[in-house]
Structure formats: structure tokens, C-alpha cells
Amino acid sequence: MRRTGQTLIFDADDTLWENNVFFERVIDDFLDWAAHPTLDRVQIRQILNDIERANAVTHGYGSRVFLRNLHETFERLQERPASLAERERIDALAGRLIRGEVDLIPGVADTLADLASRHELFLLTKGDPEEQQRKIDASGLATWFRKTHIVREKDAEVYRRLAADSGFSVDRTWMIGNSPKSDIRPARQAGMGAVFIPHEHTWVLEHAELDPLDDGVLTLGRFTELVDHF
């Protein structure tokens, strides 16, 4: 049975359009290039993960921070500063990320158009404001949202503040996203429902355990299935 008159908040990266798969491809190329005499790919990736985790706290998210992470990983592996040629090679690996190209997930545009006829839609994404706005503009999806919000981090207080500022009731509000850490758990902590749409390429730092007994979380296999419930 469809729910009516709801407020639906949507994540962006890996919910509306592909994102982390492009980062993963760059990482694969980086691991191929930055081969180490004693460390294997798994160990190098763990170093990168640790650097990403630390830099996310101080520098946030986005392709430019990602490039910083790659440079720092390379220099830690080599135990020396990178040469100009090496820095240019790392920059070249991530060219598509910097350009901010957008590939919509199949069915997203039509699904949003359908949902917007019955519900009020918002967009909530985290990351570098300029980069995220560029992707929103390139997606052509902004027309379906009452408002778009770009924040540094998504936690329960961000969701509560969004509800208070926008004047909607949390008990008729749902967060839709692929990240247990940033989309599902904080929305539930704020009293909202949540729709979890897993993505095979969700960033490892966005993984988190969900309560399988929480009936406030709806898990769907595809974005297009939203129209069966809302």
C-alpha cells in the first residue's frame, strides 16, 4: 500500500547517480601504478583507507580531498615527497572525478517525477559545496526538489535541523539513501523513517551495521521500487 503526503529526503551520490564506482576505478589504477616491493594491494588499500578516514574529519569529502589522499598514500609508501612527474601522474588518474561528470542510476529521473506528484521532495548531500552543486546542476534533477541542501556531514542533528527549518513532521518523513552510516542510522535517530537502497560500490567508510528488527527501515533492491511504497 502506498503512503501518501510524505516528505521524502534523498541522498545524491550512489543513490541518484553513480559515484563511488569511479573512485574505485581510480584506486585500482593507482594500486597498479604504485606497486610496492613488500606491501600487497590489500595492505596499500588499508593505508589509503586510514588516510581517507583521518582526512575526512579535517578536510571533508570530494574529489580534491580524494586526490590529497592519493598523494599522501604515495608519499607514505615511498617515504619521500613525490616528484613533479609523479604528482602529475596521480592528478591525471582522477581527471574524470575533477570534471564532475554524472551518470544517473537507471529510472531515477522518471521515479522522481512520479513521486513529486504526490510528495514533497528534498535533496540532502554531503561533500564539497562547489563540487556537489556542479553534479546537481549536471544531473538535471533539481527541478523535482523543493530545496537542495549540501552539508559537511550528515548526522542526527542535521536531520533534526532540516525538519525544523523546513517545517515538516519527522513522523511523516523518510530518508532515502545507500549509506547506513550517513543516511539510514542518523535519520532513524532523528525519528524519521528510512529507505535503504544498497549499492554494491558504497564507500567502505559509509558502511555500518543496521538493526534487522527495526521496522522503521524499508530495504529496497532498486530505486524504481519507491513508487510501489510512496
Side-chain angles (χ1 to χ4, degrees):
M1 187 174 93
R2 280 180 171 178
R3 299 165 178 84
T4 59
Q6 305 290 298
T7 299
L8 306 181
I9 307 172
F10 290 85
D11 172 49
D13 294 336
D14 292 322
T15 297
L16 303 181
W17 52 72
E18 300 289 358
N19 181 66
N20 199 54
V21 64
F22 303 123
F23 287 83
E24 291 296 332
R25 290 172 185 170
V26 173
I27 291 171
D28 282 342
D29 291 342
F30 175 80
L31 293 176
D32 288 341
W33 173 69
H36 192 273
T38 60
L39 300 179
D40 61 24
R41 293 172 68 91
V42 173
Q43 292 169 310
I44 296 173
R45 179 61 188 268
Q46 186 57 55
I47 292 171
L48 174 59
N49 288 346
D50 291 343
I51 289 173
E52 287 187 310
R53 188 175 290 108
N55 281 343
V57 175
T58 54
H59 301 292
Y61 305 93
S63 58
R64 298 191 184 281
V65 177
F66 176 67
L67 272 178
R68 181 191 187 106
N69 298 336
L70 293 181
H71 283 289
E72 289 189 15
T73 300
F74 180 81
E75 293 187 354
R76 184 175 299 182
L77 290 172
Q78 300 300 319
E79 299 181 330
R80 61 168 174 80
S83 68
L84 175 60
E86 289 165 338
R87 292 197 300 271
E88 290 176 344
R89 177 64 183 272
I90 294 171
D91 291 346
L93 289 174
R96 174 171 182 162
L97 300 179
I98 297 298
R99 292 193 297 272
E101 297 176 17
V102 170
D103 288 345
L104 294 183
I105 290 174
V108 160
D110 289 342
T111 300
L112 289 177
D114 191 341
L115 294 171
S117 69
R118 298 185 299 278
H119 308 282
E120 192 166 51
L121 312 187
F122 289 79
L123 179 65
L124 177 64
T125 181
K126 71 178 184 180
D128 176 79
E130 181 180 343
E131 182 175 347
Q132 292 303 98
Q133 188 61 56
R134 187 165 60 246
K135 288 192 284 187
I136 293 168
D137 294 342
S139 75
L141 300 176
T143 186
W144 303 119
F145 299 107
R146 172 179 157 186
K147 194 169 183 182
T148 62
H149 298 268
I150 302 171
V151 296
R152 178 181 174 85
E153 192 60 82
K154 291 194 284 191
D155 55 24
E157 182 54 34
V158 165
Y159 288 91
R160 295 189 189 101
R161 188 166 60 248
L162 176 59
D165 291 347
S166 301
F168 55 73
S169 174
V170 294
D171 60 5
R172 294 183 64 82
T173 300
W174 295 75
M175 177 65 195
I176 296 102
N178 69 293
S179 169
K181 176 179 178 289
S182 295
D183 301 326
I184 309 306
R185 289 176 57 169
R188 293 295 295 134
Q189 291 165 5
M192 301 176 182
V195 181
F196 179 41
I197 308 177
H199 191 293
E200 63 177 322
H201 295 295
T202 294
W203 188 25
V204 64
L205 298 192
E206 293 295 331
H207 293 182
E209 293 296 323
L210 296 178
D211 181 359
L213 301 180
D214 184 357
D215 59 7
V217 177
L218 173 65
T219 300
L220 301 180
R222 294 184 300 276
F223 191 91
T224 53
E225 294 175 17
L226 285 166
V227 298
D228 298 327
H229 300 273
F230 296 94

